[in-house]
Amino acid sequence: SKTKLTQEVLSHANKLITIGCFCIGTNQVDLNYAASRGICVFNSPFSNSRSVAELVIAEIILLARQLGDRSREMHDGVWNKVSKNCYEIRGKTLGIIGYGHIGTQLGVLAESLGMHVIWYDILPLMPIGMSTAIESLDELLAEADYVSCHVPETPETKNMIGERELALMKPGSYLINASRGTVVDIEALAAALKSGHLAGAAVDVYPSEPLANGPGFESPLRGCPNMLLTPHIGGSTEEAQRMIGIEVATAITKFVNSGASINAVNFAECDLRAIPSTDLTTVRIVNVHQNVPGVLRQINNILADYNVNKQISDSKGDVAYFMADVTVDDPKDINTIYEHITAINENIITRVLF
């Protein structure tokens, strides 16, 4: 996720047709420019959900018992046995911001430990278990004992937890951010911890992160009371890394071999059932073109003299994706079809798959 694929980098990748991001986030790739070049981007939105959810559960318990501070004190040779402001999590309310793959898994785990789960999402979603949807973010912040963020990085989520939102949280509550580093205003969080308004926090992601392991990490959160800092390891488990590799590699393989763009980040999601291995006369035409009127008419005019078994087309933004299985009796006609489609002014990439 540290590799930056900017417009400048992608402009030199003349043969590139797909990119695999072995993580959830894709802000390291210029998605719009990649699409305009016919480059399909895939990520792994599902594989590390359990790992992140388990980390958050661990952090909730660590914060409730102030274990981060107690461990540091013991390493410093200080024995400090206290029970004041240390709690069980049973019966407490967990507020989840973003009820997606991670948020739902977190809710299930939290309920199994006896927590009451509430959540807020901009989409209407089905609650799982005994969890309850909350109508507004402000309402969730005011009600929850623990608030955990699980939203993507978008203009709308930048600093969505700032000074105002932190002030709305219950005195003595806790904040956890294992989503994206821009979601929480770090300076405001540090102030809320030092003032005692928040009893603790756990942060795994940061607005700016080091490019390599080693010394030099700086943050206003260092030294704050009951503050758990981790180096973006929410999805860093052996199980998650293995599943991420399988998920992304499978998506790339299907796209290269059959044109399927299911779960693509910057392409419309299209797929066709497989061509039987015994069918030696059918080819698959895969085309990426500018999403303007008249292009489909031109493509279908080119294919009009052939038997089109099935086709699908969809668009996302300024780029459209087209797939068609065509019966071609004369192999020479394959080159004819390819040359005519690539000659369309709005053509970006055309591939013929066998």
Side-chain angles (χ1 to χ4, degrees), residues 151-184:
V151 296
E153 181 178 20
T154 67
E156 292 75 24
T157 62
K158 184 176 181 180
N159 288 334
M160 71 179 300
I161 303 297
E163 183 178 358
R164 172 188 171 278
E165 289 73 23
L166 292 169
L168 291 175
M169 293 177 63
K170 296 169 63 174
S173 59
Y174 306 82
L175 177 69
I176 299 168
N177 184 24
S179 57
R180 309 305 289 178
T182 57
V183 171
V184 175

Side-chain angles (χ1 to χ4, degrees), residues 89 91-95 110-111 114-118 130-132 143:
I89 66 170
K92 304 303 189 296
T93 298
L94 170 63
E111 283 192 347
M115 300 190 78
H116 171 53
V117 176
I118 59 176
M130 299 298 293
S131 66
T132 303
E143 186 175 338

Side-chain angles (χ1 to χ4, degrees), residues 36-63:
S36 73
R37 300 270 297 191
I39 303 169
C40 190
V41 179
F42 295 96
N43 67 340
S44 179
F46 312 113
S47 296
N48 69 356
S49 302
R50 177 71 180 203
S51 295
V52 177
E54 287 188 4
L55 176 67
V56 173
I57 288 293
E59 290 174 333
I60 291 173
I61 296 173
L62 287 168
L63 291 172

Side-chain angles (χ1 to χ4, degrees), residues 255-259 275 282-286 351-354:
F255 179 76
V256 172
N257 291 342
S258 69
I275 300 173
T282 299
V283 297
R284 177 163 294 176
I285 309 297
V286 177
R351 295 192 291 144
V352 180
L353 308 178
F354 300 86

Side-chain angles (χ1 to χ4, degrees), residues 172-246:
S173 59
Y174 306 82
L175 177 69
I176 299 168
N177 184 24
S179 57
R180 309 305 289 178
T182 57
V183 171
V184 175
D185 183 334
I186 297 297
E187 297 281 355
L189 176 57
L193 289 166
K194 291 175 182 178
S195 70
H197 176 64
L198 294 188
V203 171
D204 187 51
V205 289
Y206 308 87
S208 178
E209 298 181 359
L211 296 177
N213 293 341
F217 172 72
E218 296 293 338
S219 172
L221 299 175
R222 290 180 57 190
C224 289
N226 203 19
M227 177 73 241
L228 300 176
L229 299 175
T230 49
H232 203 153
I233 57 172
S236 298
T237 63
E238 296 286 350
E239 294 87 351
Q241 296 304 303
R242 181 175 65 252
M243 289 189 290
I244 287 172
I246 294 172

